[in-house]
């Protein structure tokens, strides 16, 4: 390590590039991720099955990830991704998150029609969205 540092500081070196890992976001330590990943997968599949009884959408893969800044996402290919920390959210926020991504399978936007689709099962979605955003800020402000 000392040799590497001295090499970087030598007069021959003109530019020193340092990569900093961003603090914050929703990311977490690997051990924490591994400890919660399978539980998150089970929870997500159960809730998707339950809510999809109403919507009857088709989806492909479901992935549990340790993402930096998103609670969930939906790809154009019909893949659903969720942050493993979904298991740490209150149940009403878990439900909102699942329904939100599920509805993106039908509408890949946030139009009035999209929100009407979400409201079919989560009528108070606007309040839950605000709470989820606040919860995310609280999550990444802690070390």
């Amino acid at each position: 390590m000392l040799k590497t540092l001295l090499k970087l500081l030598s007069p021959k070196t003109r530019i020193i590039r340092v990569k900093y890992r961003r603090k914050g976001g929703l990311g977490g330590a690997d051990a924490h991720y591994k400890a919660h990943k399978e539980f998150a997968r089970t929870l997500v599949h159960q809730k998707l099955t339950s809510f999809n009884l109403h919507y009857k959408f088709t989806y492909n893969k479901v992935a549990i990830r340790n993402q930096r800044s998103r609670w969930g996402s939906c790809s154009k290919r019909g893949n659903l991704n969720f942050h493993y920390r979904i298991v740490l959210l209150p149940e009403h926020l878990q439900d909102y998150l699942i329904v939100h991504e599920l509805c993106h399978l039908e509408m890949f936007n946030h139009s009035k029609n999209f929100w009407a689709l979400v409201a079919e099962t989560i009528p108070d979605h606007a309040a839950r969205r605000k709470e989820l955003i606040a919860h995310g800020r609280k999550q990444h402000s802690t070390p």
Side-chain angles (χ1 to χ4, degrees):
M1 171 114 175
L2 183 60
K3 287 182 181 180
T4 305
L5 184 59
L6 291 174
K7 185 177 176 183
L8 289 172
L9 297 174
S10 74
K12 294 179 183 176
T13 305
R14 294 178 188 227
I15 298 174
I16 298 175
R17 293 185 183 176
V18 180
K19 291 186 179 180
Y20 293 99
R21 181 173 168 93
R22 287 187 324 199
K23 288 186 177 183
L26 298 173
D30 282 343
H32 194 258
Y33 169 63
K34 289 176 184 175
H36 291 86
K37 182 179 178 179
E38 291 311 315
F39 181 57
R41 185 181 314 285
T42 302
L43 174 100
V44 166
H45 278 287
Q46 287 174 348
K47 289 189 176 288
L48 279 171
T49 301
S50 173
F51 283 110
N52 210 24
L53 291 173
H54 172 79
Y55 291 109
K56 297 176 178 50
F57 296 147
T58 303
Y59 53 89
N60 292 321
K61 295 178 186 176
V62 176
I64 305 300
R65 302 184 187 279
N66 186 7
Q67 304 173 130
R68 267 185 205 257
S69 62
R70 294 179 188 251
W71 284 107
S73 62
C74 175
S75 75
K76 295 261 186 187
R77 294 183 176 179
N79 298 327
L80 299 172
N81 302 296
F82 296 94
H83 198 289
Y84 81 94
R85 288 188 187 218
I86 190 173
V87 299
L88 305 176
L89 291 172
E91 187 171 8
H92 69 285
L93 295 181
Q94 294 171 354
D95 293 345
Y96 164 73
L97 186 55
I98 297 291
V99 169
H100 182 108
E101 297 309 330
L102 194 57
C103 289
H104 276 310
L105 294 168
E106 182 71 14
M107 293 186 189
F108 211 71
N109 56 47
H110 290 111
S111 65
K112 287 182 182 180
N113 291 336
F114 169 81
W115 291 114
L117 197 59
V118 172
E120 289 179 13
T121 54
I122 311 285
D124 63 336
H125 61 82
R128 292 187 195 195
R129 183 176 190 202
K130 286 179 185 178
E131 189 178 346
L132 184 64
I133 290 167
H135 195 83
R137 285 189 187 124
K138 185 170 59 173
Q139 278 286 335
H140 74 264
S141 67
T142 56

